Amino acid sequence: MSKASDPPAEPVDEERPVVAVFDFDGTLTRRDSLLPFLWQVVGPARFVWNALVLLPTLLRYALGTLENGPAKERVLGQFLAGKPTGEIQAVAESFAAETIPSLLDPEAVRRLRWHQEQGHMTVLVTASPELYARPWAEAEGFDEVIGTRLETKEGLFTGQFSTPNCYGPEKTRRLEEEGPDLRGAAVYAYGNSRGDHELLGMADRGFYRSFGDSQGDLHETGPEEPEERAGLHKGWQRGLLYSIVGGAGLYLGLTLWSGAEQIWQGLRAVSPLTLAGLLLLVLAGYLVRFGRWHWYLRHLGETVSWRDNLKAFLASFALTATPGKAGESVKAYFLNRSSGVDPARSLAGLFAERFTDVFSVVLVICVGLFSLPQGRWIVLGIGGVQIAGIALLQRPRWVRRAVLLPVARWSTARRWVRPVDTMLSDTSALLRPRVLLGGILLGGLPWIGEGVAMYILFDALGAEAIALHEAILIHAAATLFGAVTFLPGGLGGHEAASVSLSLLYGATQAQAVVATVLIRLLTLWFAVGIGSFCTVRFYTE
C-alpha cells in the first residue's frame, strides 16, 4: 500500500495547479453510507419495515430496470418525508462525526492526506446526500463539497431531491458549474463505479478502484475495466442451456406422469393472489440468503458492492437445477470478473453456504422428529455427525497435513493445492461459532418460509389433516433427500419424498402431487427463471 508521502507515478507539473476530485461511497468508504445513515435515522424496527415496503423498488434497481436517481428518491421519500429538518440535520451531523470514520478505507484516506499535504485543492463529488457528506467533508479539510441535495418545505423534508441525483454525467456538470476553475489545472479523479465513468474520463488522471500498488506507485486504470470484459464464457453458456432444458424436460415428464389434468385442477384451486403472496415469501427468503452470502464475503475481507454481489448471486440461480446446486459456483466466476474476488474465496463462501444450508434443514427436521420417541435417537445421531464435521473443518491443519501436503508432491496436482488451501482456511473462518450460528439462523429462515408456503398450498387444496409444523418438516426432508440423490435439482428424489411424506401425514394422492409440483414451481423453477433473466441481462453478450 502506498503511504501518504509517496510521490505519484509521474511528476506533476509544478506550474499547474492540481485539483483532486474524490467520489465518496465505495471510494473513500469501504461500503455504502446511505443505509447505515437511514438505520440511524429511524432505528432497527422501522428500518426493517421500510425495507419490506421498498422491496419491489430495491429489486428493480438491482436488476437494472429502475435508474439510480428514481430508486434513491423513493428510498429517501420512504424514510425522510415529513420529518423535521432540524431533527434530521442533528442525526446527520452525529452520523458524520461518529459513524462515517468507521466506514473509511485507510488507503483512500492516505491518498487524500497526500494531496492535502502537497497543497492540492480537494473536492468531494458524490451521489450521497450532502446532508451528512458536507459536515464530514468540511471537517476533513475538503475545499469543495458537491452532493445530492434534498428538498425541504416549511421546515420538513419532502422526500424529493432539490437537485438532480449527483450521479454519472451530473457529477461532471455540477463540478464544472459549482466547483473550482479547472482551466489549466491538472485534475486527479478517484472513483469506483459506473456512476464515476464521466468524472474519471474528464480527468488528466482517473484512478478506478485503486490508489497504489505494492511499490508505492499510483495504478491508473480506465473506468470501463470491470464492466467491459468479455461476456459469459461459452462453457458456462452451454452449462446454463443444458441445465435449464434438461431439468425442464425431466420436470415436464414428471408432471405428465403424475397427471397434467390433476395439476391444472390444483392450480385452479389456488387463487392468483395466494400464488403472488407465496412468490413474495419465497423471494424474501432469497434475499435473506443473499444477506448471508454478502455477510460471508465481508467477513472474509472482500468489499464487493452489494449491487454487483446481488447480480452475481441471482444470476447463479440459473444453474440451480444441477446436482447438489453445484452450478451455483458460477457466481465465483461472475464476482472475479466484475470485482476481482479470488475464486477460491468465493468457493469457500459457497461451501459455507451449503454446509449451513444442510445444517439448517437438518435442524428443522430434527425439531419435527424430536416430538417422536423413536426420532430422538435419529436426532442425536445426525447431530453427532454434524458436530464432527464442524470439528474437522475447524482444524484445517489436520487436513493440510493429511491430504494437501502429500498431494503437493504430485506435479500434476500441485497447482490446485494453494487454492484448495485458501478455500479451506476461509471455510474454517466462516464456520467459527459466531459466524456459524448466524449462518444457520439466516439459512433456516428461508427453509421455514418455504415450509409455510407449502402449508398454505395444502390448506388451499383442502388438506386440513396436515399441520404447519408437518408441512415444514415435509418440505425440509424432501429437500434434503433430493440433495443427497445428486440428481439435477434433486428432480425425482425431492418429488418422491414429498409425495410419500404428504400421504403419510394424511393428504390425498391428488393433494400430495399438486402441492409438491406447485412448491417446486415456486422454489426451484422460480429461482431458475430469475437466474436466467439476470444471466442474460448482465453476463452474456
Side-chain angles (χ1 to χ4, degrees), residues 137-158:
E138 289 177 348
E140 292 297 317
F142 276 90
D143 298 287
E144 301 279 353
V145 182
I146 300 170
T148 301
R149 294 173 189 152
L150 308 184
E151 183 182 68
T152 61
K153 285 184 180 178
E154 299 178 354
L156 301 176
F157 282 100
T158 65

Side-chain angles (χ1 to χ4, degrees), residues 233-538:
H233 189 275
K234 297 299 181 185
W236 284 113
Q237 292 184 29
R238 287 195 297 271
L240 170 62
L241 179 63
Y242 295 158
S243 171
I244 295 172
V245 173
L250 284 171
Y251 209 70
L252 177 61
L254 175 69
T255 302
L256 293 175
W257 175 78
S258 302
E261 183 61 29
Q262 277 187 337
I263 304 299
W264 176 243
Q265 289 178 356
L267 274 170
R268 294 174 64 184
V270 183
S271 72
L273 186 61
T274 299
L275 287 175
L278 294 181
L279 282 174
L280 286 175
L281 179 61
V282 171
L283 181 60
Y286 294 158
L287 294 180
V288 170
R289 288 187 177 117
F290 167 71
R292 178 184 59 176
W293 168 254
H294 196 62
W295 179 45
Y296 280 164
L297 290 187
R298 291 283 184 184
H299 190 77
L300 293 175
E302 296 292 343
T303 55
V304 185
S305 76
W306 72 268
R307 192 179 185 190
D308 287 345
N309 204 6
L310 182 59
K311 288 178 185 178
F313 182 81
L314 292 178
S316 71
F317 283 3
L319 294 171
T320 291
T322 50
K325 296 186 178 181
E328 289 188 15
S329 60
V330 71
K331 61 190 170 195
Y333 165 78
F334 292 152
L335 286 173
N336 178 255
R337 198 188 73 173
S338 66
S339 305
V341 178
D342 184 350
R345 183 149 284 180
S346 294
L347 291 175
L350 184 70
F351 182 85
E353 260 193 329
R354 290 294 164 268
F355 188 88
T356 51
D357 275 344
V358 171
F359 204 111
S360 300
V361 170
V362 170
L363 189 62
V364 170
I365 294 170
C366 288
V367 170
L369 290 176
F370 208 76
S371 60
L372 304 173
Q374 63 271 30
R376 295 179 183 178
W377 291 108
I378 300 174
V379 171
L380 292 174
I382 293 172
V385 170
Q386 292 223 324
I387 291 171
I390 294 171
L392 180 63
L393 290 168
Q394 283 298 302
R395 299 292 184 274
R397 287 176 296 178
W398 296 355
V399 180
R400 190 175 294 121
R401 291 172 184 170
V403 179
L404 295 183
L405 290 179
V407 168
R409 300 188 187 115
W410 302 347
S411 58
T412 54
R414 192 172 298 146
R415 67 192 183 97
W416 298 104
V417 170
R418 184 179 178 278
V420 170
D421 189 35
T422 298
M423 187 179 75
L424 186 65
S425 298
D426 288 340
T427 301
S428 175
L430 294 177
L431 296 181
R432 287 171 185 157
R434 182 179 65 85
V435 184
L436 176 65
L437 180 60
I440 292 170
L441 292 175
L442 291 174
L445 289 174
W447 295 119
I448 293 173
E450 291 180 8
V452 170
M454 192 161 193
Y455 170 73
I456 294 172
L457 289 174
F458 277 130
D459 186 64
L461 294 168
E464 298 176 356
I466 297 181
L468 175 59
H469 71 279
E470 292 170 340
I472 295 172
L473 174 62
I474 290 168
H475 180 66
T479 299
L480 185 61
F481 186 78
V484 299
T485 63
F486 280 94
L487 293 168
L491 292 169
H494 183 289
E495 286 74 13
S498 179
V499 170
S500 299
L501 289 170
S502 300
L503 293 172
L504 179 65
Y505 280 102
T508 66
Q509 182 174 355
Q511 291 167 343
V513 170
V514 173
T516 296
V517 170
L518 288 178
I519 197 66
R520 292 289 267 167
L521 290 173
L522 288 168
T523 54
L524 175 64
W525 295 108
F526 180 46
V528 170
I530 291 175
S532 301
F533 171 81
C534 292
T535 300
V536 172
R537 175 73 172 78
F538 299 116

Side-chain angles (χ1 to χ4, degrees), residues 47-176:
F47 182 93
V48 172
W49 170 254
N50 286 343
L52 291 173
V53 171
L54 290 165
L55 192 59
T57 296
L58 297 174
L59 185 61
R60 286 185 60 198
Y61 170 66
L63 297 178
T65 60
L66 184 65
E67 292 297 324
N68 181 285
K72 183 183 293 184
E73 198 163 32
R74 293 182 192 182
V75 170
L76 289 168
Q78 179 67 30
F79 279 88
L80 300 182
K83 293 190 177 293
T85 55
E87 174 188 324
I88 301 303
Q89 187 62 57
V91 175
E93 291 174 1
S94 171
F95 179 78
E98 299 173 11
T99 304
I100 289 180
S102 68
L103 304 178
L104 296 175
D105 181 340
E107 188 178 4
V109 173
R110 285 196 293 271
R111 184 53 54 186
L112 169 64
R113 295 287 179 255
W114 180 83
H115 281 292
Q116 291 173 333
E117 288 169 6
Q118 305 306 307
H120 301 162
M121 176 171 283
T122 53
V123 182
L124 183 69
V125 181
T126 176
S128 297
E130 275 193 18
L131 187 66
Y132 60 80
R134 179 172 290 278
W136 173 80
E138 289 177 348
E140 292 297 317
F142 276 90
D143 298 287
E144 301 279 353
V145 182
I146 300 170
T148 301
R149 294 173 189 152
L150 308 184
E151 183 182 68
T152 61
K153 285 184 180 178
E154 299 178 354
L156 301 176
F157 282 100
T158 65
Q160 305 295 310
F161 295 155
S162 64
T163 63
N165 185 39
C166 193
Y167 180 87
E170 183 66 13
K171 285 193 172 185
T172 58
R173 191 193 71 78
R174 293 276 301 279
L175 179 62
E176 291 169 350

